[in-house]
Amino acid sequence: MEPQIDPAPAVEPCPTRPLSPVEMARRISRNTAALHADAVDRDARFPREALSALQEARLLGALVPTRLGGIGCSVSEVAAMCQALAEGCAATGMIFAMHQIQIGCIVRHGLGSPFFVSYLTELSQEQRLVASVTSEVGVGGSLRTSVAAVEIRESGSWLRKQATTVSYGQEADDLLITARREKDAAAGDQVLILARRRDCAIERTGGWDTLGMRGTCSPPLTIAASFAHEQILPLPFAEIASQTMVPLSHLLWSSCWLGIATDAVARARASVQAEARKNPGQTPPAAARFAEVAELLQRMRANIDGVTA
């Protein structure tokens, strides 16, 4: 009698590992943002395809805590996402970075407010896009100076601000606006207000060619906004700016520059390699300069990574 052999146990297929937020950003950059980057910049149009892909992946809530429905990413992860997106489309990378700067301010300084806790939950669910309104006519580019002031009316609070530039302001769902605390407040006594796009009257007052990032759609706007007092972040803007907005802006913007530079160096590498293939055995004239550029890029990456950490 032949021995009985038990059939081999069925091999369970390995489940596909879910992509990390950074990997999702890289995929969106490669498969969506890069495909439309030329048209976005040429036509100065908002990168809707890439934004829709980011919303579908739920990446607009990257910095929102998981208990509020967000992803709970670290700053280092968001910086890597900005770099990845900017490699494919500079405008997409910058829009994502500017949005995350606004969310970082709310997360760090608004979690003691029931309104902002509820708002972050809503943002995570609906993947709302938030723009910044900090520039203003008459302040000479000073972030820490405002002409516009909060006015208290019977129906609630109100302000009118003439901004010199508002990136993607006409595309955003909500706006974070700086203004003086009240009509009699000093120019530097500022607050930061979350205004709903539906509660704003927005007038475009000019144009701006943004040098390769036309898709950020950054014209000057005049904004009249109404809001409840609870929509003002509890801390003075001076503290929000110094502790969060300014450092986070430099980190995430630098990460976008790194992404743009990474793409440029990759194009240069391909060019040098193509030249080398045409003339086997000869070093292309640009090879030495390319080596210098590659080293500069590596130093830039190490510097940004170190400061972010």
Side-chain angles (χ1 to χ4, degrees), residues 2 14 31 33 40 77 81 83 85 93 95 99 112 139 144 156 159 185 189 193 223 267 286 297 305:
E2 295 183 1
C14 293
N31 296 346
V40 163
E77 287 176 306
M81 293 158 72
Q83 177 190 335
L85 291 168
I95 290 168
H99 167 82
V139 302
R144 287 286 294 107
L159 67 81
D189 184 8
I193 304 125
I223 299 169
R267 292 170 187 251
L297 180 66
D305 288 348

Short mmCIF file of all heavy atoms in Angstrom, two decimals, residues 2 14 31 33 40 77 81 83 85 93 95 99 112 139 144 156 159 185 189 193 223 267 286 297 305:
data_model
loop_
_atom_site.label_atom_id
_atom_site.label_comp_id
_atom_site.label_asym_id
_atom_site.label_seq_id
_atom_site.Cartn_x
_atom_site.Cartn_y
_atom_site.Cartn_z
N GLU A 2 0.58 2.14 -0.89
CA GLU A 2 1.36 3.37 -0.93
C GLU A 2 0.98 4.25 0.26
O GLU A 2 -0.15 4.30 0.69
CB GLU A 2 1.08 4.13 -2.23
CG GLU A 2 1.54 3.38 -3.48
CD GLU A 2 1.30 4.21 -4.70
OE1 GLU A 2 0.81 5.35 -4.56
OE2 GLU A 2 1.61 3.73 -5.81
N CYS A 14 -0.39 36.74 -0.17
CA CYS A 14 0.02 37.83 0.72
C CYS A 14 -0.86 39.05 0.45
O CYS A 14 -0.99 39.47 -0.70
CB CYS A 14 1.48 38.20 0.48
SG CYS A 14 2.62 36.88 0.96
N ASN A 31 1.48 59.79 -11.65
CA ASN A 31 0.38 59.35 -12.50
C ASN A 31 -0.62 60.44 -12.85
O ASN A 31 -1.41 60.28 -13.80
CB ASN A 31 -0.37 58.18 -11.85
CG ASN A 31 0.51 56.94 -11.69
OD1 ASN A 31 1.57 56.85 -12.29
ND2 ASN A 31 0.07 56.01 -10.88
N ALA A 33 -0.34 64.41 -11.44
CA ALA A 33 0.18 65.79 -11.45
C ALA A 33 1.12 66.03 -12.62
O ALA A 33 1.01 67.04 -13.33
CB ALA A 33 0.88 66.09 -10.12
N VAL A 40 -1.17 72.99 -16.91
CA VAL A 40 -1.48 73.79 -15.72
C VAL A 40 -0.68 75.09 -15.75
O VAL A 40 -1.21 76.18 -15.51
CB VAL A 40 -1.19 72.98 -14.44
CG1 VAL A 40 -1.09 73.90 -13.22
CG2 VAL A 40 -2.28 71.94 -14.22
N GLU A 77 6.92 63.61 7.28
CA GLU A 77 6.14 62.93 6.25
C GLU A 77 5.50 63.92 5.30
O GLU A 77 5.51 63.73 4.07
CB GLU A 77 5.08 62.05 6.91
CG GLU A 77 5.62 60.80 7.58
CD GLU A 77 4.54 60.03 8.30
OE1 GLU A 77 3.83 60.63 9.13
OE2 GLU A 77 4.40 58.82 8.05
N MET A 81 6.01 64.49 1.26
CA MET A 81 4.89 64.54 0.31
C MET A 81 4.96 65.78 -0.56
O MET A 81 4.71 65.73 -1.76
CB MET A 81 3.57 64.48 1.09
CG MET A 81 3.34 63.15 1.80
SD MET A 81 2.19 63.25 3.18
CE MET A 81 0.65 63.46 2.33
N GLN A 83 7.69 67.37 -1.40
CA GLN A 83 8.77 67.15 -2.35
C GLN A 83 8.31 66.27 -3.51
O GLN A 83 8.53 66.57 -4.68
CB GLN A 83 9.97 66.49 -1.67
CG GLN A 83 11.09 66.19 -2.65
CD GLN A 83 12.19 65.33 -2.05
OE1 GLN A 83 12.39 65.33 -0.84
NE2 GLN A 83 12.91 64.61 -2.89
N LEU A 85 5.28 65.68 -4.67
CA LEU A 85 4.29 66.33 -5.54
C LEU A 85 4.96 67.39 -6.42
O LEU A 85 4.63 67.53 -7.60
CB LEU A 85 3.18 66.95 -4.70
CG LEU A 85 2.26 65.95 -4.00
CD1 LEU A 85 1.39 66.66 -2.97
CD2 LEU A 85 1.38 65.21 -5.01
N GLY A 93 2.57 70.91 -5.80
CA GLY A 93 3.36 70.83 -4.58
C GLY A 93 3.16 72.04 -3.69
O GLY A 93 3.00 71.92 -2.47
N ILE A 95 0.58 74.24 -3.67
CA ILE A 95 -0.78 74.30 -3.14
C ILE A 95 -0.93 73.35 -1.96
O ILE A 95 -1.49 73.71 -0.91
CB ILE A 95 -1.80 73.96 -4.25
CG1 ILE A 95 -1.84 75.10 -5.27
CG2 ILE A 95 -3.20 73.71 -3.67
CD1 ILE A 95 -2.58 74.76 -6.55
N HIS A 99 -1.67 74.62 1.88
CA HIS A 99 -2.82 74.07 2.61
C HIS A 99 -2.38 73.46 3.93
O HIS A 99 -2.98 73.72 4.98
CB HIS A 99 -3.52 73.02 1.74
CG HIS A 99 -4.51 72.18 2.48
ND1 HIS A 99 -5.80 72.57 2.76
CD2 HIS A 99 -4.36 70.93 3.03
CE1 HIS A 99 -6.42 71.62 3.44
NE2 HIS A 99 -5.57 70.62 3.61
N GLY A 112 -7.98 73.36 21.53
CA GLY A 112 -8.68 73.70 22.77
C GLY A 112 -10.05 74.33 22.51
O GLY A 112 -10.79 74.60 23.46
N VAL A 139 0.83 97.38 3.56
CA VAL A 139 1.68 96.93 4.68
C VAL A 139 3.09 96.59 4.22
O VAL A 139 3.92 96.15 5.02
CB VAL A 139 1.05 95.74 5.43
CG1 VAL A 139 -0.33 96.10 5.95
CG2 VAL A 139 0.98 94.50 4.53
N ARG A 144 3.36 90.57 9.78
CA ARG A 144 2.93 90.89 11.13
C ARG A 144 2.29 92.27 11.24
O ARG A 144 2.27 92.88 12.31
CB ARG A 144 4.14 90.78 12.06
CG ARG A 144 4.57 89.34 12.32
CD ARG A 144 3.59 88.63 13.28
NE ARG A 144 3.68 89.27 14.59
CZ ARG A 144 2.74 90.06 15.11
NH1 ARG A 144 1.61 90.29 14.44
NH2 ARG A 144 2.91 90.60 16.28
N GLY A 156 -23.04 89.41 13.80
CA GLY A 156 -21.79 88.68 13.98
C GLY A 156 -20.61 89.55 13.62
O GLY A 156 -20.72 90.78 13.53
N LEU A 159 -15.23 91.52 8.30
CA LEU A 159 -14.02 92.25 7.93
C LEU A 159 -13.96 92.38 6.41
O LEU A 159 -14.58 91.59 5.69
CB LEU A 159 -12.75 91.57 8.45
CG LEU A 159 -12.33 90.20 7.91
CD1 LEU A 159 -11.59 90.29 6.57
CD2 LEU A 159 -11.41 89.50 8.92
N ALA A 185 -7.40 98.54 17.41
CA ALA A 185 -6.18 97.80 17.75
C ALA A 185 -4.99 98.29 16.93
O ALA A 185 -5.15 98.83 15.83
CB ALA A 185 -6.40 96.30 17.51
N ASP A 189 -1.44 94.01 16.42
CA ASP A 189 -2.33 93.25 17.32
C ASP A 189 -3.31 92.46 16.46
O ASP A 189 -4.44 92.88 16.22
CB ASP A 189 -3.06 94.21 18.26
CG ASP A 189 -3.92 93.47 19.28
OD1 ASP A 189 -3.84 92.22 19.35
OD2 ASP A 189 -4.70 94.14 20.00
N ILE A 193 -8.41 84.30 11.50
CA ILE A 193 -9.83 83.96 11.41
C ILE A 193 -10.05 82.92 10.33
O ILE A 193 -9.52 83.02 9.23
CB ILE A 193 -10.65 85.22 11.04
CG1 ILE A 193 -10.40 86.34 12.05
CG2 ILE A 193 -12.13 84.91 10.91
CD1 ILE A 193 -9.95 87.62 11.42
N ILE A 223 -11.58 90.76 -0.23
CA ILE A 223 -12.45 89.78 0.42
C ILE A 223 -13.26 90.46 1.51
O ILE A 223 -12.70 91.13 2.39
CB ILE A 223 -11.61 88.63 1.03
CG1 ILE A 223 -10.84 87.91 -0.08
CG2 ILE A 223 -12.50 87.67 1.81
CD1 ILE A 223 -9.81 86.95 0.43
N ARG A 267 16.42 65.34 -15.14
CA ARG A 267 16.41 65.66 -16.58
C ARG A 267 17.84 65.90 -17.08
O ARG A 267 18.20 65.47 -18.18
CB ARG A 267 15.56 66.91 -16.82
CG ARG A 267 14.06 66.69 -16.57
CD ARG A 267 13.31 68.02 -16.58
NE ARG A 267 11.93 67.84 -16.19
CZ ARG A 267 10.88 67.95 -17.02
NH1 ARG A 267 11.08 68.18 -18.29
NH2 ARG A 267 9.66 67.80 -16.56
N ALA A 286 29.53 68.18 -20.25
CA ALA A 286 28.68 68.59 -19.12
C ALA A 286 28.80 67.67 -17.91
O ALA A 286 28.24 67.96 -16.86
CB ALA A 286 27.22 68.65 -19.56
N LEU A 297 22.65 69.13 -4.84
CA LEU A 297 21.32 68.62 -4.55
C LEU A 297 21.34 67.75 -3.31
O LEU A 297 20.44 67.85 -2.44
CB LEU A 297 20.78 67.82 -5.74
CG LEU A 297 19.38 67.22 -5.56
CD1 LEU A 297 18.32 68.31 -5.45
CD2 LEU A 297 19.05 66.29 -6.72
N ASP A 305 16.32 67.83 5.40
CA ASP A 305 15.96 66.68 6.25
C ASP A 305 16.41 66.92 7.69
O ASP A 305 15.67 66.62 8.64
CB ASP A 305 16.59 65.40 5.72
CG ASP A 305 15.94 64.92 4.43
OD1 ASP A 305 14.86 65.45 4.07
OD2 ASP A 305 16.51 64.03 3.78
#
